[in-house]
Short mmCIF file of all heavy atoms in Angstrom, two decimals:
data_model
loop_
_atom_site.label_atom_id
_atom_site.label_comp_id
_atom_site.label_asym_id
_atom_site.label_seq_id
_atom_site.Cartn_x
_atom_site.Cartn_y
_atom_site.Cartn_z
N LEU G 59 -39.91 -183.34 40.21
CA LEU G 59 -40.59 -183.66 41.42
C LEU G 59 -42.05 -183.13 41.36
O LEU G 59 -42.29 -182.00 40.97
CB LEU G 59 -39.93 -182.98 42.59
CG LEU G 59 -40.56 -183.17 43.97
CD1 LEU G 59 -40.35 -184.56 44.51
CD2 LEU G 59 -40.06 -182.11 44.93
N GLY G 61 -45.98 -183.45 43.71
CA GLY G 61 -46.66 -183.93 44.87
C GLY G 61 -47.85 -184.73 44.43
O GLY G 61 -47.72 -185.80 43.78
N PHE G 62 -49.05 -184.19 44.69
CA PHE G 62 -50.28 -184.86 44.34
C PHE G 62 -50.71 -184.54 42.91
O PHE G 62 -51.60 -185.17 42.32
CB PHE G 62 -51.40 -184.43 45.34
CG PHE G 62 -52.69 -185.17 45.14
CD1 PHE G 62 -52.77 -186.54 45.25
CD2 PHE G 62 -53.85 -184.46 44.90
CE1 PHE G 62 -53.99 -187.21 45.12
CE2 PHE G 62 -55.07 -185.09 44.71
CZ PHE G 62 -55.17 -186.46 44.86
N GLY G 63 -50.12 -183.50 42.28
CA GLY G 63 -50.45 -183.15 40.92
C GLY G 63 -51.68 -182.29 40.81
O GLY G 63 -52.40 -182.33 39.77
N SER G 64 -51.99 -181.52 41.87
CA SER G 64 -53.21 -180.68 41.83
C SER G 64 -52.97 -179.27 41.37
O SER G 64 -53.93 -178.42 41.39
CB SER G 64 -53.89 -180.71 43.19
OG SER G 64 -53.07 -180.11 44.18
N ASN G 65 -51.75 -178.92 40.94
CA ASN G 65 -51.50 -177.57 40.45
C ASN G 65 -50.68 -177.63 39.19
O ASN G 65 -49.89 -176.80 38.89
CB ASN G 65 -50.72 -176.82 41.54
CG ASN G 65 -51.03 -175.33 41.44
OD1 ASN G 65 -52.00 -174.90 40.95
ND2 ASN G 65 -50.07 -174.55 41.96
N PRO G 124 -56.62 -179.51 48.12
CA PRO G 124 -55.96 -180.77 47.76
C PRO G 124 -54.45 -180.62 47.69
O PRO G 124 -53.94 -179.52 47.58
CB PRO G 124 -56.54 -181.13 46.41
CG PRO G 124 -57.38 -180.00 45.93
CD PRO G 124 -57.38 -178.90 46.99
N THR G 126 -50.24 -182.07 48.63
CA THR G 126 -49.36 -182.41 49.73
C THR G 126 -48.86 -181.17 50.50
O THR G 126 -48.93 -180.05 50.01
CB THR G 126 -48.08 -183.12 49.21
OG1 THR G 126 -47.44 -182.19 48.33
CG2 THR G 126 -48.42 -184.36 48.41
N ALA G 135 -49.65 -172.17 49.42
CA ALA G 135 -51.09 -172.34 49.23
C ALA G 135 -51.86 -171.58 50.30
O ALA G 135 -51.32 -171.46 51.44
CB ALA G 135 -51.48 -173.81 49.17
N GLY G 136 -53.05 -171.15 49.99
CA GLY G 136 -53.81 -170.47 50.96
C GLY G 136 -55.23 -170.25 50.54
O GLY G 136 -55.67 -170.61 49.42
N ILE G 182 -38.49 -180.11 49.53
CA ILE G 182 -39.05 -180.03 50.92
C ILE G 182 -39.27 -181.42 51.46
O ILE G 182 -40.09 -182.20 50.84
CB ILE G 182 -40.36 -179.15 51.00
CG1 ILE G 182 -40.07 -177.78 50.41
CG2 ILE G 182 -40.92 -179.13 52.38
CD1 ILE G 182 -41.36 -177.09 49.99
N ARG G 209 -66.48 -173.83 50.70
CA ARG G 209 -65.44 -173.59 49.68
C ARG G 209 -66.07 -173.83 48.26
O ARG G 209 -66.64 -174.90 48.05
CB ARG G 209 -64.32 -174.58 49.87
CG ARG G 209 -63.21 -174.09 50.82
CD ARG G 209 -62.18 -175.21 50.94
NE ARG G 209 -61.62 -175.55 49.64
CZ ARG G 209 -60.56 -174.95 49.10
NH1 ARG G 209 -59.95 -174.03 49.75
NH2 ARG G 209 -60.12 -175.29 47.90
N CYS G 211 -64.52 -174.32 45.60
CA CYS G 211 -63.67 -175.24 44.88
C CYS G 211 -63.27 -176.36 45.86
O CYS G 211 -62.20 -176.36 46.38
CB CYS G 211 -62.45 -174.43 44.38
SG CYS G 211 -61.41 -175.34 43.26
N ARG G 303 -48.86 -174.75 37.16
CA ARG G 303 -47.59 -174.95 36.50
C ARG G 303 -47.76 -175.79 35.28
O ARG G 303 -48.50 -176.76 35.26
CB ARG G 303 -46.67 -175.68 37.49
CG ARG G 303 -45.24 -175.43 37.20
CD ARG G 303 -44.43 -175.17 38.36
NE ARG G 303 -43.07 -174.89 37.93
CZ ARG G 303 -42.00 -175.12 38.53
NH1 ARG G 303 -42.00 -175.63 39.70
NH2 ARG G 303 -40.82 -174.83 37.93
C1 FAD O 1 -60.20 -178.60 43.46
C2 FAD O 1 -58.93 -177.79 43.78
C3 FAD O 1 -59.00 -176.75 44.71
C4 FAD O 1 -57.81 -176.00 45.00
N1 FAD O 1 -57.94 -174.96 45.92
C5 FAD O 1 -56.82 -174.24 46.23
C6 FAD O 1 -56.86 -173.20 47.19
O1 FAD O 1 -57.94 -172.95 47.76
N2 FAD O 1 -55.71 -172.52 47.50
C7 FAD O 1 -54.57 -172.81 46.88
O2 FAD O 1 -53.48 -172.19 47.18
N3 FAD O 1 -54.47 -173.78 45.91
C8 FAD O 1 -55.57 -174.52 45.60
N4 FAD O 1 -55.50 -175.52 44.64
C9 FAD O 1 -54.23 -175.78 43.94
C10 FAD O 1 -53.39 -176.92 44.64
O3 FAD O 1 -54.25 -177.71 45.48
C11 FAD O 1 -52.28 -176.36 45.50
O4 FAD O 1 -51.44 -175.59 44.69
C12 FAD O 1 -51.47 -177.50 46.18
O5 FAD O 1 -50.76 -176.95 47.23
C13 FAD O 1 -50.55 -178.25 45.24
O6 FAD O 1 -49.97 -179.32 45.92
P1 FAD O 1 -49.51 -180.66 45.17
O7 FAD O 1 -48.94 -181.64 46.13
O8 FAD O 1 -50.64 -181.20 44.37
O9 FAD O 1 -48.40 -180.06 44.23
P2 FAD O 1 -48.13 -180.42 42.67
O10 FAD O 1 -49.22 -179.89 41.85
O11 FAD O 1 -47.78 -181.84 42.53
O12 FAD O 1 -46.82 -179.54 42.42
C14 FAD O 1 -46.93 -178.12 42.40
C15 FAD O 1 -45.50 -177.51 42.54
O13 FAD O 1 -44.95 -177.79 43.87
C16 FAD O 1 -43.69 -178.41 43.71
N5 FAD O 1 -43.53 -179.40 44.81
C17 FAD O 1 -44.41 -180.36 45.14
N6 FAD O 1 -43.92 -181.05 46.21
C18 FAD O 1 -42.74 -180.41 46.55
C19 FAD O 1 -41.77 -180.66 47.59
N7 FAD O 1 -41.87 -181.67 48.50
N8 FAD O 1 -40.68 -179.85 47.62
C20 FAD O 1 -40.44 -178.86 46.73
N9 FAD O 1 -41.38 -178.57 45.74
C21 FAD O 1 -42.51 -179.36 45.66
C22 FAD O 1 -43.70 -179.14 42.37
O14 FAD O 1 -42.42 -179.31 41.89
C23 FAD O 1 -44.53 -178.09 41.56
O15 FAD O 1 -43.66 -176.99 41.14
C24 FAD O 1 -56.61 -176.29 44.35
C25 FAD O 1 -56.58 -177.36 43.41
C26 FAD O 1 -57.73 -178.09 43.14
C27 FAD O 1 -57.65 -179.23 42.14
#
Side-chain angles (χ1 to χ4, degrees):
L59 176 75
F62 185 60
S64 62
N65 208 24
T126 63
I182 302 161
R209 273 177 58 88
C211 189
R303 204 138 184 210

